[in-house]
Amino acid sequence: MVSFRFPFSFTQPTTTRFPSGTFSPATIACSVAVGAGIAAGITISQNPTNPSLQTALNSFISNFSRSSPLWGSLSLADGPDAVVTESKTGVSFPAVLNDSQGLLGIGLRKKAVLGLKNIDVYAFGVYADDNDIKRFISEKYGTLSTTELKNKDITQDLMDSDISVTVRLQIVYGKLSIRSVRNAFEDSVGSRLKKFGGSDNKELLQKFTSQFRDEYKIPRGSTIDLSKEKGYVLRTAIDGKEIGSVESQLLCRSILDLYIGDDPFDSKAKQEIDNKLVSTITK
Ligand code: DAO
Ligand code: DAO
């Protein structure tokens, strides 16, 4: 990985938070790259006259695409322990999950209670394997220019594909009961099952929610992984312990739609994921 150093200092924006002990020169270099990156965008991907500059640029792009300004915070230097922190809640997500799935974006699930205030329920991160994405896109589109690819709805393609995707939820709200999870789920996922499946699909919903036993506890700090695996299997794990799996393309599609569909929980996160997908396949 090429690292960029800048011969000037700057003031750390007060809204950016870093996990303790992660503030390093590499982090600073990365922050500067974010600013430069906005201006440069991902359009600087063609420079046939200078291949080494091309490589450096690509590295540069991939460096800051991981730390886009929409993200709450930057990771520490690249490496297996790199994390990205959601700025409002301070929750951190590993940059890489299960050795191969890269973080595409993070966001926040809020919920209005009694039509009054919004509570932050959980922070989420969406992960997929770069190589899977590249392979799938090249099979589907062959070679397209960056501009052409930008006009495709890659996120939509990802939702429909059989590519493994993991959505990690990290619970922020301290008083979550299994009952309220079930209710919220029936609303959010239920409406998608209806939209994509054309009927209530009560049985499917039931099959999924019956995995949530009343005795489970999901206090603040719990991690829930919703993993779509090959063959449209949706596997659920709480704090790393599997609680069940359901095979259903409709259910997988409906769950992903909450985060990267047309009416997502966090539209900034969805935007970030769209951008990250384009940069993944064009680098
Ligand atoms: O305590 O009445 C309350 C508010 C509960 C809000 C529950 C939102 C649940 C969202 C789903 C969480 C999935 C892990
Ligand atoms: O946020 O509305 C929502 C739905 C999120 C999907 C929740 C899946 C929760 C699985 C938790 C099991 C807890 C026992």
Side-chain angles (χ1 to χ4, degrees):
M1 182 57 74
V2 180
S3 89
F4 292 85
R5 293 291 157 86
F6 292 80
F8 53 86
S9 61
F10 69 103
T11 315
Q12 181 63 27
T14 49
T15 50
T16 309
R17 290 228 290 263
F18 294 88
S20 58
T22 63
F23 194 74
S24 67
T27 321
I28 297 172
C30 235
S31 299
V32 178
V34 171
I38 300 166
I42 51 158
T43 49
I44 45 170
S45 59
Q46 302 296 329
N47 192 336
T49 54
N50 188 339
S52 64
L53 175 61
Q54 177 67 56
T55 311
L57 279 175
N58 282 343
S59 235
F60 188 52
I61 292 163
S62 72
N63 257 344
F64 67 68
S65 64
R66 185 181 279 186
S67 51
S68 107
L70 295 177
W71 289 31
S73 169
L74 304 169
S75 67
L76 54 151
D78 280 337
D81 300 326
V83 295
V84 177
T85 302
E86 198 286 316
S87 61
K88 187 163 179 229
T89 57
V91 171
S92 291
F93 289 86
V96 178
L97 204 62
N98 307 327
D99 294 331
S100 69
Q101 293 189 314
L103 185 54
L104 299 172
I106 59 177
L108 199 54
R109 156 72 152 134
K110 299 180 191 181
K111 170 128 181 120
V113 266
L114 305 170
L116 283 172
K117 62 172 195 151
N118 265 326
I119 52 170
D120 298 336
V121 185
Y122 57 81
F124 62 85
V126 178
Y127 293 85
D129 184 319
D130 281 12
N131 292 321
D132 287 354
I133 295 169
K134 282 185 193 162
R135 196 176 319 117
F136 169 76
I137 292 300
S138 69
E139 275 165 18
K140 174 152 186 175
Y141 295 114
T143 43
L144 289 183
S145 71
T146 305
T147 323
E148 285 168 319
L149 277 169
K150 271 184 167 169
N151 293 328
K152 304 283 177 202
D153 193 342
I154 308 291
T155 310
Q156 179 75 38
D157 291 330
L158 180 66
M159 270 196 291
D160 294 333
S161 77
D162 195 16
I163 293 178
S164 304
V165 179
T166 299
V167 183
R168 167 164 287 190
L169 320 181
Q170 301 207 58
I171 307 298
V172 176
Y173 183 57
K175 290 179 279 186
L176 207 54
S177 65
I178 297 299
R179 217 173 76 144
S180 57
V181 173
R182 258 198 221 112
N183 287 340
F185 193 85
E186 278 165 16
D187 263 11
S188 60
V189 182
S191 71
R192 266 78 175 184
L193 291 176
K194 209 172 198 162
K195 178 172 167 193
F196 301 120
S199 76
D200 269 350
N201 290 288
K202 281 217 169 67
E203 261 168 54
L204 184 55
L205 198 61
Q206 177 66 32
K207 197 164 166 188
F208 189 75
T209 56
S210 65
Q211 300 180 114
F212 316 159
R213 304 261 174 72
D214 288 332
E215 65 268 24
Y216 291 156
K217 298 273 176 290
I218 39 171
R220 184 184 166 88
S222 307
T223 297
I224 298 171
D225 284 338
L226 301 166
S227 310
K228 183 183 97 171
E229 297 178 353
K230 295 234 156 58
Y232 300 100
V233 172
L234 184 74
R235 201 174 292 284
T236 308
I238 304 178
D239 293 329
K241 274 221 318 265
E242 186 179 326
I243 63 161
S245 62
V246 175
E247 187 197 322
S248 162
Q249 184 166 3
L250 177 59
L251 181 65
C252 288
R253 176 74 172 75
S254 299
I255 296 268
L256 290 183
D257 190 75
L258 302 171
Y259 307 97
I260 57 178
D262 285 342
D263 183 19
F265 285 144
D266 184 333
S267 51
K268 256 165 56 177
K270 147 104 171 153
Q271 185 64 53
E272 187 180 301
I273 292 164
D274 285 345
N275 295 342
K276 177 71 180 170
L277 281 170
V278 175
S279 77
T280 297
I281 56 185
T282 50
K283 81 180 178 213

